[in-house]
Amino acid sequence: MRAHTTATFALALCALVAAVCSAATPTAPVSSVDSVALTVSDLDRAVDFYSKVLTFEKVADREVSGEAYEHLFGVFGLRVRSVRMRLGDEYLELQQFLPPRGRPIPLDSRSNDRWFQHVAIIVSDMTAAYARLRTFNVEHASSGPQRLPDWNPNAGGIEAFYFRDPDGHNLEVLQFPAGKGAGKWHARDGRLFLGIDHTAIVVADTDASLHFYRDLLGMRIAGASENYGTEQEHLNNVFGAHLRITALRAAHGPGIEFLEYLAPRSGRPLPPDTLPDDLWYWQVNFCSAAPSAFESALRDSHVPLLSAGTIELGDAQLGWRKGLLTRDPDGHASLIGEGQPCSKTS
């Protein structure tokens, strides 16, 4: 009898664990990172900057409004103009909320604040890229280009520089040395700006962020590094910067890089009332064949949603037929969507 009871209990426990796991994890991971979006105050000015300074190409210009998009973005009374820009194989979405007008990026923002996010634009020649940026009088965020030291096996030889666009969004240009980075970043075809390797976000706790991006969304860890020293301090413009860096990737598209500041721990949290019309708002756009499956998993894991659920977007003017907006543990936003942008990786 005791053996039978034990076996029955074990089977029940296994069933319970299976039920919990199936409830907390979608049946398939996100298939790709389609693009990275950011909110700007003047779309024409932003398009001019990204096309003239960084050689992005404008590929689409759309405008949306109405109840479905209000429920998707969690912003009432919106009208959004969005321009899709391409550099190499990757895409950036620049979006302006015509109404309502959100808040500007705080003037005292630092690279260790948790609203920090940037895209890493790969260049074929750092000296030439920095000289070009200087001719356009871009705002420095780093003191100048930095070459990470060779003692760091995963980052040694990488050259990088932080700067800002006209709204104050942080951007990075980065050159990989031989033996690091994807093969396409070493092609010599005459272009200076090649594409977007990843978007980087500041996180408070790498393990908590891994639960969201790896365990719930299905991304994989692609690399890790611990960076510190004078080069890192001057790149981030944070005295005493000591970072735990973790890189993740989906099957296709740019990666996501966690920047956890082991020191200093003085970075401020993202304001809890942040909305997509605020200028510090960024959004990673993920492709999924079944966004509603992620909604169930996110709700089971008590992950906050920006949208009212999985929203049907009948007109698909932005390319998405349906989708939902959610936040990671630090408040960084992600769109999980189904639609035309995903057709190239389906």
Side-chain angles (χ1 to χ4, degrees):
M1 173 66 80
R2 179 176 297 175
H4 174 73
T5 301
T6 301
T8 302
F9 174 76
L11 289 171
L13 181 60
C14 289
L16 176 61
V17 169
V20 169
C21 291
S22 63
T25 307
T27 55
V30 293
S31 58
S32 67
V33 173
D34 165 70
S35 56
V36 180
L38 62 156
T39 298
V40 302
S41 64
D42 182 329
L43 191 54
D44 292 328
R45 180 182 68 173
V47 169
D48 188 64
F49 175 84
Y50 282 90
S51 58
K52 289 184 178 179
V53 179
L54 300 171
T55 69
F56 279 77
E57 175 191 1
K58 179 179 174 179
V59 297
D61 189 337
R62 295 79 50 102
E63 194 169 304
V64 298
S65 62
E67 187 176 356
Y69 290 99
E70 292 174 352
H71 287 301
L72 176 67
F73 286 106
V75 176
F76 177 74
L78 61 73
R79 177 173 287 274
V80 181
R81 183 181 166 209
S82 178
V83 168
R84 187 171 174 89
M85 307 286 287
R86 180 175 61 210
L87 183 65
D89 299 325
E90 291 78 41
Y91 294 89
L92 198 62
E93 297 275 355
L94 305 175
Q95 56 192 27
Q96 179 182 356
F97 284 73
L98 303 174
R101 306 284 287 187
R103 295 164 290 180
I105 296 172
L107 292 176
D108 64 345
S109 293
R110 296 290 181 265
S111 296
N112 59 332
D113 292 323
R114 291 200 294 280
W115 57 82
F116 177 93
Q117 186 163 352
H118 74 228
V119 289
I121 299 166
I122 306 306
V123 298
S124 57
D125 184 322
M126 179 58 72
T127 301
Y130 181 60
R132 178 178 175 83
L133 295 176
R134 291 299 300 269
T135 65
F136 285 97
N137 297 313
V138 301
E139 181 184 354
H140 282 58
S142 303
S143 59
Q146 303 295 317
R147 184 187 183 279
L148 300 185
D150 291 330
W151 60 255
N152 189 329
N154 293 327
I158 290 174
E159 294 183 77
F161 171 67
Y162 285 7
F163 62 104
R164 297 187 178 97
D165 77 1
D167 279 306
H169 299 105
N170 284 282
L171 302 168
E172 179 184 36
V173 285
L174 186 151
Q175 183 176 9
F176 285 112
K180 288 186 170 72
K184 70 178 184 177
W185 302 138
H186 298 281
R188 293 293 178 261
D189 57 8
R191 293 181 300 141
L192 180 56
F193 300 102
L194 304 179
I196 297 171
D197 181 74
H198 63 268
T199 182
I201 58 175
V202 170
V203 304
D205 183 325
T206 296
D207 293 333
S209 297
L210 283 173
H211 175 65
F212 179 83
Y213 290 99
R214 181 192 61 192
D215 302 339
L216 292 177
L217 300 192
M219 301 186 79
R220 61 177 175 83
I221 296 177
S225 180
E226 192 168 318
N227 291 12
Y228 54 90
T230 185
E231 300 88 356
Q232 193 69 44
E233 292 176 340
H234 286 86
L235 174 62
N236 299 73
N237 214 347
V238 174
F239 181 65
H242 185 161
L243 285 78
R244 176 186 178 187
I245 299 176
T246 306
L248 290 91
R249 291 199 173 270
H252 304 279
I256 294 179
E257 188 173 274
F258 300 162
L259 308 177
E260 180 184 353
Y261 278 78
L262 304 178
R265 303 290 293 183
S266 56
R268 294 164 291 181
L270 184 141
D273 60 348
T274 296
L275 288 173
D277 58 343
D278 291 316
L279 295 187
W280 60 80
Y281 178 87
W282 293 71
Q283 170 187 307
V284 180
N285 294 329
F286 290 99
C287 288
S288 168
S292 58
F294 284 94
E295 179 184 350
S296 300
L298 294 167
R299 290 190 187 278
D300 288 346
S301 293
H302 307 290
V303 174
L305 301 184
L306 266 168
S307 58
T310 304
I311 308 300
E312 298 283 344
L313 304 166
D315 59 12
Q317 289 186 50
L318 297 181
W320 305 101
R321 290 186 292 271
K322 65 174 67 173
L324 75 154
L325 272 173
T326 184
R327 296 187 192 273
D328 74 5
D330 294 289
H332 302 290
S334 297
L335 170 71
I336 302 171
E338 172 196 339
Q340 190 275 332
C342 304
S343 60
K344 61 184 181 295
T345 58
S346 59

